[in-house]
C-alpha cells in the first residue's frame, strides 16, 4: 500500500536565527528589563533575579554583538556604564510582552 505523501514543514531560518539568541537562558529577561530604559550592570543584576555576574556579563556581550543592546560608558565622574536597547532590541519588547501574555493564559507552572 502507498502511504499518502505529506509535506514536512521546515522551521523558518529566521525563526531559527531568532531563537539562537532568544532561546538562551536570561536573554529574553535582559531584553525585557531593558525595555523600561537604560540600566547599569548592578541594576540589571537586581532586576534579572538569579543571574550571576559572569553570566550577565556574557549575555550582555552576546546581545551587544547581536545588535540588540548598546553598552555606553559615561565619563563621569564617577565613570558609569549603562546598557540600553538598540532600535532592533526595542522592536522585541512588544513581542516579548505578547509572549508573556500567551504564557499567562496557556502555560501552567507546576511546583517542583
Amino acid at each position: 500500500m502507498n502511504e499518502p505523501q505529506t509535506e514536512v514543514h521546515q522551521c523558518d531560518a529566521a525563526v531559527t536565527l531568532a531563537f539562537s539568541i532568544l532561546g538562551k537562558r536570561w536573554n529574553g529577561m535582559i531584553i525585557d528589563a531593558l525595555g523600561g530604559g537604560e540600566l547599569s550592570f548592578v541594576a540589571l543584576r537586581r532586576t534579572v533575579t538569579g543571574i550571576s555576574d559572569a553570566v550577565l556579563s556574557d549575555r550582555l556581550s552576546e546581545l551587544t554583538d547581536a545588535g540588540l543592546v548598546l553598552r555606553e560608558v559615561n565619563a563621569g565622574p564617577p565613570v558609569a556604564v549603562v546598557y540600553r536597547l538598540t532600535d532592533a532590541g526595542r522592536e522585541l519588547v512588544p513581542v516579548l510582552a505578547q509572549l508573556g501574555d500567551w504564557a499567562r493564559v496557556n502555560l501552567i507552572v507546576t511546583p517542583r
Side-chain angles (χ1 to χ4, degrees):
M1 252 187 215
N2 291 339
E3 292 186 30
Q5 298 255 343
T6 58
E7 187 175 323
V8 176
H9 177 79
Q10 295 293 318
C11 187
D12 184 273
V15 171
T16 301
L17 178 59
F19 274 93
S20 73
I21 301 292
L22 297 176
K24 282 191 150 180
R25 186 169 186 201
W26 307 111
N27 282 354
M29 282 82 76
I30 292 168
I31 293 168
D32 188 52
L34 290 172
E38 70 180 33
L39 293 170
S40 68
F41 186 90
V42 172
L44 266 169
R45 190 183 63 226
R46 283 190 210 124
T47 303
V48 183
T49 307
I51 194 168
S52 70
D53 286 355
V55 172
L56 178 57
S57 180
D58 186 51
R59 295 301 187 263
L60 285 168
S61 293
E62 289 174 0
L63 292 169
T64 299
D65 290 346
L68 300 174
V69 171
L70 286 175
R71 179 184 186 268
E72 292 183 351
V73 179
N74 299 327
V79 174
V81 177
V82 294
Y83 297 88
R84 65 181 173 88
L85 295 176
T86 63
D87 290 341
R90 280 190 296 279
E91 287 181 28
L92 277 171
V93 174
V95 175
L96 292 175
Q98 286 181 318
L99 186 60
D101 291 343
W102 174 86
R104 276 186 281 287
V105 171
N106 293 288
L107 296 180
I108 299 168
V109 178
T110 56
R112 293 182 183 205

